[in-house]
Amino acid sequence: MNPNVQRSLILIKPDGVQRGHIGDIIGRFERAGLKLVAIKMVHPAVEDVDKHYALTEEWMLAVYEKAKAKHDAEGKPFPHVDHVSYGTAIKNGLMDFLVSAPIIAMVWEGEGVVSIVRKLVGATEPASAVPGTIRGDLSHDNYALANAQNRPLRNLIHASGTNDEAEQEITVWFTDVELQKYEHVNDRVQYDPSWFLPKA
Ligand code: ADP
């Protein structure tokens, strides 16, 4: 077993489920050699989303700065001045969106899984996400349209941003007994140093 194994919490949001991308998204993580340890379809409750997207100062600022940086880079004016009202509106939109329909919640394991999954998922704004990524391949939504329609970006998927975030988010969607402990062939093929070496 790999002692550095980490976990990431993934949600396929209502747009990903409705557009029939569940299999494709799961396949991309399988293809990367990651290990699925929990999965379920759930129709989120208000409390689930509230815990998952905690409306902290840090989160509101990050959401605001990311969208502003994109507008600045394109030389377009960013009409919002207050990160609190901007972040709060996005959180409220995420709440309405995620409680509206079933989603898929999953936990994946692997060496450096959080950053590997973020790489496969791509940038927050699908229009900027590079080809080959989930958001870049499967959506073309953008900040301007989402903001003009006063809704969150429809970017198909959530993936934990850090290891600490992953551990906290896993507790929102799964109990301990739902996290499977089992041997997967990748435990050997990817991490066992004695696997496939020539016999002495
Ligand atoms: P990510 O999902 O890439 O980690 P964030 O944590 O910054 O992105 O934001 C959470 C979710 O909120 C995003 O996936 C997206 O659906 C929505 N969102 C974030 N920023 C904006 C924005 N400026 N306008 C509309 N929706 C946004």
Side-chain angles (χ1 to χ4, degrees):
M1 272 294 266
N2 179 358
N4 299 320
V5 76
Q6 292 148 359
R7 305 191 289 189
S8 179
L9 185 280
I10 315 294
L11 303 177
I12 303 179
K13 297 177 184 176
D15 51 336
V17 174
Q18 294 295 326
R19 293 185 52 217
H21 291 316
I22 298 170
D24 186 345
I25 290 171
I26 290 174
R28 289 167 187 243
F29 299 139
E30 285 186 318
R31 253 163 41 195
L34 301 172
K35 177 177 171 181
L36 182 64
V37 295
I39 182 167
K40 64 180 165 191
M41 179 171 255
V42 49
H43 195 139
V46 167
E47 308 81 68
D48 299 326
V49 183
D50 210 32
K51 279 190 232 154
H52 180 87
Y53 285 116
L55 193 57
T56 61
E57 174 75 12
E58 189 188 1
W59 187 82
M60 291 186 287
L61 204 53
V63 157
Y64 179 87
E65 294 292 351
K66 216 177 339 178
K68 185 171 181 311
K70 173 72 195 317
H71 284 72
D72 290 349
E74 291 177 349
K76 292 183 188 154
F78 189 60
H80 309 276
V81 288
D82 170 22
H83 68 277
V84 174
S85 60
Y86 190 73
T88 304
I90 290 168
K91 159 81 185 241
N92 290 340
L94 285 166
M95 176 64 78
D96 291 345
F97 188 40
L98 288 175
V99 302
S100 71
I103 63 169
I104 301 293
M106 302 182 275
V107 180
W108 289 81
E109 275 186 6
E111 163 97 13
V113 66
V114 166
S115 55
I116 296 293
V117 166
R118 292 293 299 197
K119 178 187 70 172
L120 296 175
V121 165
T124 300
E125 183 193 43
S128 312
V130 298
T133 63
I134 291 167
R135 288 168 171 166
D137 284 352
L138 305 178
S139 177
H140 63 274
D141 200 13
N142 66 62
Y143 282 124
L145 182 61
N147 289 185
Q149 296 183 342
N150 197 24
R151 60 163 174 80
L153 284 164
R154 292 177 184 154
N155 57 8
L156 305 161
I157 185 164
H158 163 84
S160 305
T162 65
N163 292 332
D164 288 346
E165 209 175 276
E167 292 308 314
Q168 196 278 325
E169 290 171 355
I170 288 168
T171 66
V172 175
W173 301 100
F174 293 97
T175 61
D176 272 353
V177 290
E178 291 176 311
L179 301 169
Q180 301 298 329
K181 293 174 185 59
Y182 70 104
E183 189 167 355
H184 191 284
V185 69
N186 282 336
D187 294 333
R188 296 206 63 215
V189 177
Q190 297 218 141
Y191 304 130
D192 180 349
S194 66
W195 184 79
F196 213 60
L197 290 178
K199 297 272 180 292

